Structures are given as C-alpha cells and as structure tokens.
C-alpha cells in the first residue's frame, strides 16, 4: 500500500491552484463542464462530452389564448472531445513539502496555476480561426499604431450588428496590442479610479463595456490574429481526471504514491494530486494532473482582431 506521508501541504496547495485556475481570465469567462459528465456518466479520454451554453431567450407577447408561453431555456450545448492530458510536476524538499508558509504556497499556487492555464487557454484560442469564425465577416483589422478605444468601439459595433448580447462580453489581446491599449490616451485618461486603474495595475477594465486580459502566447493562427472579443457562450471547456484517480478509494491495490482528488467547492473543478517520496534523498515529487477538451460554442458571438 502507499506510504502515508502525513500532513504535507499538497492538498492545501492543490486547493490554492484550483482557486487560482478558475479565477483566471478566459477560463472564468467561458462555458465549462468541470465534471466531465455526459448523461450522468463520467466520460473517458478521447470521448465526447457536452458543455451547456448559457444564452438569452426571446421576449414574447402575452397571448389571451395561450397565456405566457415559455421559451426553451435548454440553451444548447457545445460538443467537444477530451483529448488533452497535462500535468504540472515539481520536486520539493521535505522542508518545503511540509511547510505551511503562506507566502511560499501562494507563490507555488500562482505559478503552477498560470503554467497549466496557459496551456489550456492556448488550446482554446487555437480554435479562433477561419472558417469557423469567418475572416470576411467577423474580423476587425487594425495596425498597432492606430489600435485603441476607437477600435474597441468598432469591434463592439460589429457584435451589436449581429445582435450579440452585451452581457458577459470579454476581450483577449496579445502582449503587443494589450500594451497598445494601455497606452491609448482615452483609456489611460479615463481608467484611473483606484479599483481599476490601468496606469497603476496594468489591468484593463471596462473599455466600451469590455474587460481585456493579456495572453502573451496568443497564437496568430496563420491570419495575423492579435485578439478577439467574445461572450460566455462563444467558447467551451470540459475536464476529467486521469484514471489513476479511481485508485484513491481502491482496496487491496498496491500503489507507490499517495493519490488524492482535490476539488474546488465553488466551481466543481477537480485535479489529481500524486505525491511520491524518495526518503533517501529527502525529496517529494508532487504532480498535479488533469485531462480536458476545448471547443467552440456560438461562433457568431466572436469578433476577431487582426493586425494590418
């Protein structure tokens, strides 16, 4: 049976990683199925799973004959395949492995969550490409020298003209264009309150109603993509745990490591923690593991931004 390593900080660190992960831009703004469940059953790697898309319903006239007829709020689903298997694994010494120093754990959690999130977001953004998001009708082109508040207005106008809801709109830009937006005179001059100042924080909130996050690894996708604006139902992600997670409750099956499933209670996102100790070297190998899939939702709700 697996050795009992006592109370290492692995579970606490895992909970902190999950809290960081689900709060990061993009992942917190899109449709998700963190349980990887389809028709009540856990899906496996390379299987399809559905992600509910939360969309608006129509306003209707009252009918004396039919009364208040309900609109279908099932919303529709995005179907995607769980085909990514990622992990963040690091070695820590025994002192670090049992330390509950908040500053140390916070640094590890932020770094590991960011590393994992970068992979997940890169896979998502690779989908923002022609023909699924048509370049001819869903792309705004602007050179970096002219990129700013006015371009964001143009992007929002394009979405408005397609009757895309303003609720939950969010934006993503590569580092160069995010920097250009921060330097825009209108943005810098009007985004100066203490809670959202781009001047002091580098975070851009509420530019023509859109919060923009920076993703330095945003792929150009062969079409000079530098960013986009979308809504919660435009992109989707689902996650499951590796099959090794099933061993955590197994009886009589030897394992050479401590295996735990850690779940963020608020979001339902889980991650697998596997810890193994080399007692001769005083080293703990700690591995956080996750499987996921990404997909497009309502594609008309995306507007691409490309460089000239």
């Amino acid at each position: 049976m697996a050795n009992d390593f006592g109370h290492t900080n692995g579970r606490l660190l895992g909970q902190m990683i999950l809290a960081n992960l689900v709060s990061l831009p993009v992942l917190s703004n899109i449709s998700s199925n963190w349980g990887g469940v389809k028709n009540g059953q856990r899906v496996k790697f390379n299987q399809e799973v559905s992600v509910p898309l939360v969309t608006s319903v129509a306003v209707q006239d009252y009918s004396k004959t039919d009364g208040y007829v309900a609109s279908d709020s099932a919303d529709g689903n995005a179907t995607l395949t769980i085909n990514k298997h990622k992990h963040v694994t690091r070695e820590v010494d025994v002192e670090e492995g049992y330390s509950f120093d908040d500053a140390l754990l916070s640094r590890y959690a932020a770094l590991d969550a960011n590393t994992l999130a970068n992979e997940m977001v890169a896979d998502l953004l690779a989908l923002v490409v022609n023909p699924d998001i048509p370049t001819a009708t869903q792309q705004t082109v602007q050179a970096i020298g002219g990129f700013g508040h006015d371009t964001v207005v143009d992007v929002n106008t394009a979405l408005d003209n397609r009757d895309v809801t303003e609720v939950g709109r969010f934006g993503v830009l590569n580092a160069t264009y995010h920097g250009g937006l921060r330097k825009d005179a209108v943005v810098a001059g009007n985004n100066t309150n203490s809670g959202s100042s781009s001047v002091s924080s580098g975070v851009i909130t509420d530019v023509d109603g859109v919060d923009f996050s920076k993703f330095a690894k945003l792929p150009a996708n062969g079409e000079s993509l530098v960013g986009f604006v979308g809504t919660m139902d435009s992109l989707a992600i689902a996650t499951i745990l590796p099959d090794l997670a099933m061993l955590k409750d197994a009886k009589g099956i030897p394992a050479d490591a401590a295996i735990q499933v850690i779940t963020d209670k608020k979001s339902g996102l889980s991650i697998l923690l596997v810890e193994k100790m080399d007692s001769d070297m005083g080293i703990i190998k700690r591995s956080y593991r996750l499987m996921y899939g990404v997909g497009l939702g309502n594609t008309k709700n995306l507007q691409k931004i490309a460089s000239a």
Side-chain angles (χ1 to χ4, degrees):
M1 298 297 290
N3 291 320
D4 182 0
F5 299 146
H7 300 287
T8 72
N9 56 31
R11 172 170 285 276
L12 177 59
L13 180 58
Q15 291 168 340
M16 295 171 73
I17 289 174
L18 289 174
N20 275 271
L21 196 61
V22 297
S23 67
L24 288 170
V26 181
L27 295 182
S28 61
N29 287 321
I30 64 174
S31 299
S32 57
N33 178 349
W34 296 130
V37 174
K38 183 177 182 180
N39 298 325
Q41 300 294 317
R42 173 186 177 271
V43 302
K44 295 184 178 181
F45 194 69
N46 279 331
Q47 288 186 336
E48 289 187 343
V49 64
S50 296
V51 178
L53 301 175
V54 181
T55 59
S56 60
V57 295
V59 175
Q60 303 181 65
D61 290 323
Y62 168 74
S63 167
K64 289 185 177 181
T65 303
D66 300 319
Y68 298 96
V69 180
S71 297
D72 183 8
S73 60
D75 297 325
N77 296 285
T79 299
L80 48 88
T81 301
I82 302 290
N83 57 5
K84 310 291 183 183
H85 189 174
K86 306 288 186 178
H87 68 97
V88 176
T89 302
R90 66 164 76 233
E91 288 186 350
V92 297
D93 60 34
V94 172
E95 183 176 349
E96 290 174 319
Y98 286 88
S99 169
F100 285 86
D101 181 281
D102 287 342
L104 175 66
L105 293 180
S106 294
R107 286 195 297 271
Y108 277 161
L111 288 168
D112 291 347
N114 188 69
T115 299
L116 187 55
N118 279 345
E119 292 292 319
M120 299 167 79
V121 172
D123 288 328
L124 270 166
L125 302 194
L127 303 176
V128 184
V129 64
N130 190 67
D132 290 316
I133 297 85
T135 295
T137 57
Q138 290 181 226
Q139 180 166 280
T140 301
V141 179
Q142 180 62 63
I144 182 61
F147 183 72
H149 176 267
D150 288 352
T151 310
V152 177
V153 172
D154 292 342
V155 169
N156 270 334
T157 300
L159 291 168
D160 293 339
N161 288 338
R162 294 200 296 273
D163 198 27
V164 176
T165 180
E166 295 181 61
V167 177
R169 284 189 193 178
F170 69 97
V172 181
L173 295 169
N174 70 12
T176 300
Y177 273 68
H178 194 271
L181 191 56
R182 295 203 308 274
K183 291 189 289 186
D184 178 75
V186 175
V187 174
N190 290 277
N191 192 7
T192 55
N193 71 73
S194 59
S196 63
S197 173
S198 63
V199 176
S200 62
S201 69
V203 176
I204 304 175
T205 59
D206 198 15
V207 179
D208 200 45
V210 179
D211 293 347
F212 282 90
S213 60
K214 175 178 63 179
F215 189 66
K217 295 183 178 181
L218 192 146
N221 290 349
E223 51 186 52
S224 301
L225 184 73
V226 297
F228 68 88
V229 173
T231 58
M232 179 173 284
D233 60 341
S234 57
L235 295 167
I237 188 169
T239 62
I240 63 172
L241 295 176
D243 287 339
L244 193 60
M246 300 299 102
L247 284 176
K248 71 181 182 66
D249 297 319
K251 303 296 183 182
I253 301 178
D256 65 350
I259 302 168
Q260 300 182 66
V261 173
I262 305 169
T263 302
D264 178 68
K265 293 182 179 179
K266 185 176 181 179
S267 67
L269 175 62
S270 294
I271 198 167
L272 181 66
L273 166 62
V274 179
E275 288 184 296
K276 185 175 181 179
M277 178 184 288
D278 183 335
S279 58
D280 292 331
M281 300 301 296
I283 294 294
I284 296 174
K285 183 177 180 181
R286 178 176 292 152
S287 183
Y288 295 96
R289 306 174 185 182
L290 186 66
M291 295 175 175
Y292 64 91
V294 296
L296 294 168
N298 291 324
T299 56
K300 77 176 184 66
N301 292 2
L302 283 165
Q303 182 73 11
K304 299 185 290 188
I305 303 170
S307 61

